[in-house]
């Protein structure tokens, strides 16, 4: 008994449809793919410079204010402290707690757009004024990059590919650009765009998966009928 090519093709198609619930989820053909880009960060004239700037590069993790496209209240206030002055924050209703003079901030370092100088926040308690104080101290930008970065082998393959080739795709959105250390060279990897694939709708996906299994079963049944049909000449 020799199967005809049409029947073999029908069986293969049926098996593909029946097994959709097993092979489709790992491919993740629905949802959104995030495009990663990478640009090198260098230190020139004691300032951090960006090799290839992009409007998509915003909010570098660990370097507050550096990529702000418009002034924010915090960055606007602290920019006035870059001239080696201190600011006092009375903070009504909050008393100084011994041993904890900090004014909490997410990032340790900050820099300002088109400037490149790197500062760290230094907070304290001014006893005479009964106020918190905030000062910016300029720091070595190379040391700051080392502190806020992680080695490239500690990141996902998508981040590694972006550093190596300039771009990649991932299912994870980088809310802030990350600083990657690639053998002593520093790169900012950031989400530069999105690619919309099939709409990610779990209920619709389950119904579609059910229908493909039913369709595959019907095709398989039809292929079996072809094999037993005397008119087909198969099995003589």
């Amino acid at each position: 008994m020799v199967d005809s090519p049409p029947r073999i093709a029908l069986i293969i198609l049926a098996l593909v449809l029946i097994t959709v619930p097993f092979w489709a989820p790992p491919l993740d053909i629905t949802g959104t793919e995030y495009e990663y880009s990478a640009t090198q960060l260098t230190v020139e004239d004691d300032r951090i410079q960006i090799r290839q700037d992009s409007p998509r590069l915003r909010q570098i993790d660990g370097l507050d204010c550096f990529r702000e496209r418009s002034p924010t209240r915090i960055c606007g206030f602290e920019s006035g402290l870059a001239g080696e002055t201190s600011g006092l924050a009375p903070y009504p209703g909050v008393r100084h707690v011994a041993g904890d003079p900090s004014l909490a901030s997410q990032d340790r370092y900050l820099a300002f757009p088109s400037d490149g100088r790197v500062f760290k926040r230094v907070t304290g308690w001014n006893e005479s004024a009964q106020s918190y104080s905030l000062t910016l101290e300029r720091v070595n930008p190379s040391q700051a990059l080392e502190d806020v970065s992680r080695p490239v082998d500690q990141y996902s393959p998508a981040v590694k590919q972006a550093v190596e080739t300039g771009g990649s795709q991932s299912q994870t959105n980088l809310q802030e650009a990350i600083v990657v250390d690639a053998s002593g060279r520093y790169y900012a990897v950031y989400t530069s765009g999105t690619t919309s694939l099939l709409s990610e709708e779990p209920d619709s996906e389950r119904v579609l998966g059910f229908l493909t299994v039913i369709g595959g079963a019907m095709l398989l049944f039809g292929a079996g009928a072809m094999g037993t049909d005397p008119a087909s000449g198969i099995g003589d």
Side-chain angles (χ1 to χ4, degrees), residues 18-47:
I18 290 174
T19 58
V20 160
F22 299 97
W23 59 260
L27 294 180
D28 196 17
I29 59 176
T30 61
T32 300
E33 288 284 334
Y34 296 95
E35 299 173 1
Y36 288 177
S37 294
T39 186
Q40 188 175 358
L41 301 175
T42 61
V43 174
E44 302 174 19
D45 192 26
D46 205 28
R47 301 166 186 256

Side-chain angles (χ1 to χ4, degrees), residues 91 94 96-97 99-105 122-125 132-134:
Y91 224 122
V94 178
H96 168 60
V97 179
D100 181 23
S102 63
L103 298 174
S105 61
V122 179
T123 60
W125 175 254
Y132 288 97
S133 64
L134 174 62

